[in-house]
Amino acid sequence: MQARAAGIDNPSPMIGPARLIRAAFDASDMAALAQEILARSPDGVIDAGAAMDLATILLLMHRTDEALQLQTDILQGQRLFSLRSNPDQARVRVLILVTAGDLMANTPIDFLLNDDDFSLTYFFLCPGEDMPRDLPEHDVLITGIAHSSGAEPLLEAVAAAAEGWSRPIVNHPRAVLKTSRHGIADALRGAEGILAPAVALLDRAALSASASRLPEGLDYPVLVRPLDTHAGNDLQKVDRAEDLTRYLDHATTERFYVTQFCDYRGPDGLFRKLRVVLIDGVPFLCHLAIRDHWMIHYLNAGMLEDAEKRTAEATAMATFDAAFAQRHRAAFAEIHRRIGLDYLILDCAESSDGRLLIFEADTGMVVHDMDPVDLFPYKLPQMRRVFSAFQQAVRGRAQTRPA
C-alpha cells in the first residue's frame, strides 16, 4: 500500500479519530472498515488521509506498532489533513496542532467541535524539526498535542514558535507542559482546598535504592506505575519496601512515577471518581464512576450493570453546579489560575477531609457522548452542555482575533 500525498498547503481529507472511535465503541467490524477504505483505490495507492484513517483503525485494533509505522510513512509526504465532514459554509476555521502517536497523543478535538460552525484542519508536527513560521490559514489555533515525556521537546519548540503567531491560541503549549503527573503536583502544591498527592519521578536504580526510605513527602502505601502509562496499566499499590522490590523485579521499564496513596473511600465504603472538564475555568461533570476498589475506571466500575450507580451518577450531574462545583469553587478557580489551560480534564474525587483530590489532569483524555441513551438518558444533555461551552469558547476567540 502506498499513500498519495496532497501537499503541505492542500489538506488530505480523512474520516477522523472521533468517528472511528465511535465505530469501534459501537462494536463495528473495524477490519471490514479498513478493507472498505482500501477498496476505494484498486491500484493500491490511497490518499494520505485515508491512510491516516487506516492507522487510527490499527490503533483501535491494538496493532500499535503497525499503526505508528504507518503514521511515520504517511508524514514523510503529507502533514496537513482535514475532516471529510467539514461543512462548506463553516464560519470558524480551526487549525489543530498534533503529532504522531497513539490515541492519547492528541486531544480528541473532533468530539468537541462536531458542529457546522467549524471546519477542522490538522497540522502534524514532528519532534526535532524546525517549527514553521507561517501556518495554514485559520481563525483559531488549538494545541492538540497532549503531554507525554516524549512530547516535551516538541511542546517546548511549539511554545517558542507560538510567540510569533498572531491568531488566538486555545491551550498554549507552555501550559500543556505543566500537565505531567509531577508537574500537576508541583503546580498545585499548597493550594488551599486541594489535595494533590506528592509525586516523584524516579529511574529504576533510584527507586530500588529508596525502597527502604522513600523520597521526602512519600510514605507507604504508595502507587507505582511506569512513566507515560494510563488507565491503570502496570499500576500497583505498594504497602511496604518488600512489595516495591518485588514490583521492580517484574517491571520491564526504566522510569516510574511514585505517588502518595490517599484513601478516598466514602462513609459507605465505596470509592467515587469524577471526570471534570474545566472550560475557561468553569467545571463540567462528564462522568462519575463508583466502585468498591480504589482503582476506578469507568469501564471497570460496573456502571453498565448497576442501575443504582447510574442513578447516583444522574443525581450527581443534576446537582453538580449547586453542590460539588460550589463546594470546590475556589479550588477549581485556583487550578485554572495555576495551570492556565483553556481546556483541561481532571480525574478527581473528594478527600475524607473535604478537599478536592486530584488524580490526574491533562488534555488528552476522551470526553465523549457515546454511552447508550437507553441506559444513560441523562448523559447526552450533559455532554451537549460541555460541547456547547467549548464551542462557544472557540467562537469567542475567533471573534476577537487580530485583523
Side-chain angles (χ1 to χ4, degrees):
M1 180 194 71
Q2 292 181 305
R4 182 184 293 113
I8 191 62
D9 296 319
N10 185 18
S12 185
M14 62 181 182
I15 297 169
R19 282 173 169 77
L20 294 173
I21 292 171
R22 190 180 299 276
F25 193 88
D26 291 338
S28 299
D29 186 336
M30 302 307 289
L33 179 56
Q35 288 301 319
E36 180 183 323
I37 292 172
L38 288 169
R40 295 177 192 157
S41 300
D43 61 355
V45 180
I46 65 174
D47 291 338
M52 192 60 74
D53 286 333
L54 289 176
T56 301
I57 290 172
L58 288 170
L59 288 173
L60 291 164
M61 296 172 68
H62 307 291
R63 295 164 59 178
T64 304
D65 290 344
E66 295 171 74
L68 298 183
Q69 182 58 57
L70 180 55
Q71 288 179 6
T72 298
D73 295 343
I74 296 165
L75 294 177
Q76 289 179 1
Q78 178 68 21
R79 296 295 180 87
L80 207 61
F81 301 82
S82 61
L83 293 183
R84 293 184 181 275
S85 58
N86 277 346
D88 294 333
Q89 303 303 319
R91 295 189 297 171
V92 182
R93 300 167 300 172
V94 179
L95 182 65
I96 308 166
L97 302 183
V98 291
T99 191
D102 61 20
L103 295 172
M104 292 290 290
N106 302 294
T107 307
I109 296 294
D110 44 344
F111 275 109
L112 303 168
L113 295 181
N114 184 20
D115 183 274
D116 286 346
D117 266 2
F118 304 95
S119 66
L120 273 58
T121 301
Y122 295 79
F123 191 10
F124 276 80
L125 303 176
C126 295
E129 296 183 349
D130 292 337
M131 290 296 104
R133 295 181 58 187
D134 299 316
L135 297 173
E137 284 297 318
H138 62 283
D139 300 306
V140 177
L141 178 73
I142 299 178
T143 303
I145 303 165
H147 180 274
S148 68
S149 60
E152 285 182 356
L154 180 57
L155 285 166
E156 292 278 10
V158 176
E163 302 306 320
W165 297 337
S166 61
R167 295 293 190 253
I169 299 175
V170 174
N171 278 4
H172 197 285
R174 290 208 184 281
V176 177
L177 280 161
K178 297 180 182 179
T179 60
S180 65
R181 292 185 188 276
H182 61 285
I184 290 293
D186 290 345
L188 300 182
R189 183 178 295 114
E192 186 174 355
I194 297 173
L195 176 54
V199 178
L201 176 59
L202 302 170
D203 62 27
R204 176 183 290 274
L207 183 54
S208 179
S210 64
S212 59
R213 186 173 181 179
L214 292 170
E216 184 178 356
L218 295 170
D219 195 10
Y220 292 109
V222 293
L223 302 177
V224 185
R225 77 179 83 213
L227 177 66
D228 290 335
T229 57
H230 299 274
N233 293 326
D234 295 321
L235 169 64
Q236 186 170 315
K237 177 171 169 280
V238 175
D239 295 304
R240 52 187 182 172
E242 306 93 282
D243 297 331
L244 179 55
T245 300
R246 192 175 301 111
Y247 175 89
L248 290 172
D249 287 342
H250 293 89
T252 58
T253 54
E254 293 300 319
R255 300 180 75 196
F256 303 87
Y257 273 123
V258 183
T259 305
Q260 185 62 54
F261 175 76
C262 298
D263 189 343
Y264 62 101
R265 79 186 76 194
D268 58 0
L270 297 176
F271 296 86
R272 291 166 174 82
K273 187 169 77 171
L274 300 87
R275 177 157 294 179
V276 175
V277 171
L278 291 184
I279 300 174
D280 286 339
V282 178
F284 297 85
L285 179 59
C286 294
H287 71 228
L288 166 67
I290 306 170
R291 195 183 180 202
D292 59 0
H293 191 277
W294 62 266
M295 191 192 297
I296 307 179
H297 304 289
Y298 202 77
L299 294 178
N300 73 13
M303 304 299 290
L304 284 166
E305 298 80 14
D306 194 323
E308 288 188 11
K309 290 182 178 180
R310 296 196 300 274
T311 297
E313 183 181 40
T315 300
M317 287 188 170
T319 63
F320 180 78
D321 292 346
F324 192 95
Q326 187 65 24
R327 287 198 302 277
H328 300 290
R329 179 178 58 180
F332 285 127
E334 188 66 3
I335 291 170
H336 181 58
R337 187 185 72 83
R338 293 193 181 201
I339 305 301
L341 283 165
D342 311 293
Y343 173 82
L344 177 66
I345 310 162
L346 306 171
D347 274 353
C348 59
E350 201 163 56
S351 67
S352 59
D353 61 3
R355 286 182 289 173
L356 185 67
L357 170 58
I358 304 298
F359 300 115
E360 186 174 2
D362 67 30
T363 62
M365 290 182 268
V366 177
V367 171
H368 65 81
D369 60 352
M370 298 186 295
D371 294 297
V373 177
D374 57 335
L375 288 177
F376 302 91
Y378 53 89
K379 272 197 167 180
L380 189 57
Q382 176 69 4
M383 297 316 299
R384 284 174 174 164
R385 286 186 64 217
V386 175
F387 298 161
S388 178
F390 185 76
Q391 291 163 13
Q392 192 55 41
V394 175
R395 286 190 194 96
R397 285 161 174 76
Q399 293 166 2
T400 60
R401 69 181 177 86

